[in-house]
């Protein structure tokens, strides 16, 4: 083989090797980096829009929101309290004024003769509530002016009797009953008879509140009795009365 032929073979071999290397490099460049794909999410999750994390409210806005909620709760509680409040809530003042007469009565050892009947004439009075046991009873003071007509002359007495009445006026229940014990002072009395008496009363009635604004009416009946303190004698009388009741 001549030098010329050898040189041609070397050049041909170099061209073949260079072409092979170029093709291998092109293949490597076309492959690129290998990507690892994650499994795709379900279609229903992919259709939902992405939610951004909620930013907490702080500062003046948060304080205003808290105070507003607290005020609304307080107002709601107040409204509920007013809604639950009984419609028959008691008034601050209770005053009853009555006028009546004795229906039947007997007196013993008071004037002459010693036993007399139908000596009681009329009675007028006022009852004012001075205390209350809520949902139970009332404590009142009853002041009565009573007149008597005996064989020996007339007698007038002013009595002061603390009374307890059931139920309390705040219940606005129409039926009531009660009683009390106190003392009486004669403004006009028979000679040689005691000017002081020990009084006690028992009564029951029907009352109607707020018939005209704060004014109502009642009917009452019962007993009005007394004992003479410094002398012998007593009086037992059955009475009836009509009156007005005021709540204010």
């Amino acid at each position: 083989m001549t030098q010329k032929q050898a040189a041609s073979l070397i050049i041909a071999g170099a061209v073949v090797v260079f072409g092979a290397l170029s093709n291998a490099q092109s293949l490597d460049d076309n492959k690129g980096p290998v990507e690892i794909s994650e499994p795709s999410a379900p279609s229903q999750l992919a259709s939902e829009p992405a939610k951004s994390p909620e930013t907490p409210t702080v500062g003046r806005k948060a304080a205003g929101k808290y105070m507003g909620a607290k005020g609304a709760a307080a107002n709601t509680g107040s409204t509920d309290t007013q809604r639950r409040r009984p419609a028959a809530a008691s008034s601050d003042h209770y005053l009853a004024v009555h006028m009546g007469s004795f229906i039947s009565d007997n007196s013993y050892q008071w004037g002459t003769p010693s036993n007399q009947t139908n000596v009681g004439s009329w009675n007028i009075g006022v009852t004012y509530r001075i205390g209350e046991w809520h949902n139970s009873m009332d404590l009142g003071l009853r002041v009565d002016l009573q007149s008597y007509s005996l064989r020996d002359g007339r007698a007038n007495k002013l009595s002061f009797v603390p009374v307890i009445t059931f139920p309390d006026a705040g219940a606005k229940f129409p039926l009531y009953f009660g009683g009390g014990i106190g003392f009486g002072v004669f403004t006009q009395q028979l000679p040689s008879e005691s000017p002081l008496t020990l009084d006690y009363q028992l009564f029951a009635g029907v009352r109607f509140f707020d018939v005209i604004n704060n004014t109502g009416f009642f009917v009452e009946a019962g007993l009005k009795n007394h004992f003479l303190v410094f002398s012998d004698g007593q009086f037992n009388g059955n009475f009836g009365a009509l009156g007005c009741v005021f709540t204010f």
Side-chain angles (χ1 to χ4, degrees):
M1 182 180 294
T2 63
Q3 285 183 338
K4 195 172 186 177
Q5 291 177 345
S8 299
L9 289 174
I10 292 170
I11 292 172
V15 170
V16 172
V17 172
F18 181 77
L21 292 174
S22 298
N23 290 333
Q25 183 67 32
S26 298
L27 291 174
D28 291 341
D29 293 340
N30 291 334
K31 288 181 179 178
V34 178
E35 295 182 358
I36 301 175
S37 61
E38 296 181 357
S40 59
S43 59
Q44 61 271 24
L45 296 179
S47 62
E48 295 182 359
K51 296 182 179 179
S52 59
E54 184 177 356
T55 304
T57 304
V58 296
R60 184 175 298 176
K61 292 184 178 180
K65 183 178 180 182
Y66 173 75
M67 294 303 294
K70 187 175 181 181
N75 292 335
T76 303
S78 177
T79 303
D80 293 342
T81 301
Q82 293 177 357
R83 188 181 298 113
R84 290 192 299 266
R85 186 177 181 183
S90 62
S91 303
D92 293 334
H93 304 282
Y94 171 91
L95 177 68
V97 180
H98 68 267
M99 177 179 293
S101 64
F102 290 98
I103 301 172
S104 63
D105 57 76
N106 295 280
S107 66
Y108 304 95
Q109 304 299 320
W110 186 19
T112 55
S114 58
N115 297 335
Q116 301 181 48
T117 59
N118 298 324
V119 299
S121 297
W122 50 264
N123 66 87
I124 59 175
V126 59
T127 304
Y128 183 73
R129 183 178 65 188
I130 59 177
E132 177 187 14
W133 290 269
H134 189 55
N135 295 329
S136 179
M137 58 187 173
D138 288 333
L139 173 63
L141 177 62
R142 174 169 292 191
V143 180
D144 275 335
L145 178 61
Q146 303 171 14
S147 178
Y148 309 91
S149 178
L150 297 101
R151 299 286 180 86
D152 295 340
R154 296 194 62 84
N156 297 319
K157 184 188 68 173
L158 191 62
S159 64
F160 303 87
V161 180
V163 294
I164 293 177
T165 306
F166 301 88
D168 61 301
K172 301 294 179 73
F173 190 71
L175 301 178
Y176 70 95
F177 65 96
I181 185 169
F183 67 93
V185 180
F186 280 99
T187 59
Q188 181 179 353
Q189 173 64 301
L190 301 179
S192 68
E193 297 288 352
S194 172
L196 297 178
T197 61
L198 177 66
D199 291 25
Y200 65 95
Q201 299 184 12
L202 296 174
F203 52 85
V206 181
R207 56 190 176 186
F208 304 94
F209 292 91
D210 304 332
V211 176
I212 304 175
N213 294 329
N214 294 331
T215 303
F217 304 95
F218 71 95
V219 180
E220 185 177 289
L223 304 176
K224 290 188 177 183
N225 303 342
H226 70 240
F227 294 96
L228 299 177
V229 176
F230 300 117
S231 62
D232 295 334
Q234 69 180 73
F235 170 83
N236 299 328
N238 301 315
F239 78 97
L242 301 174
C244 298
V245 54
F246 306 92
T247 55
F248 54 95

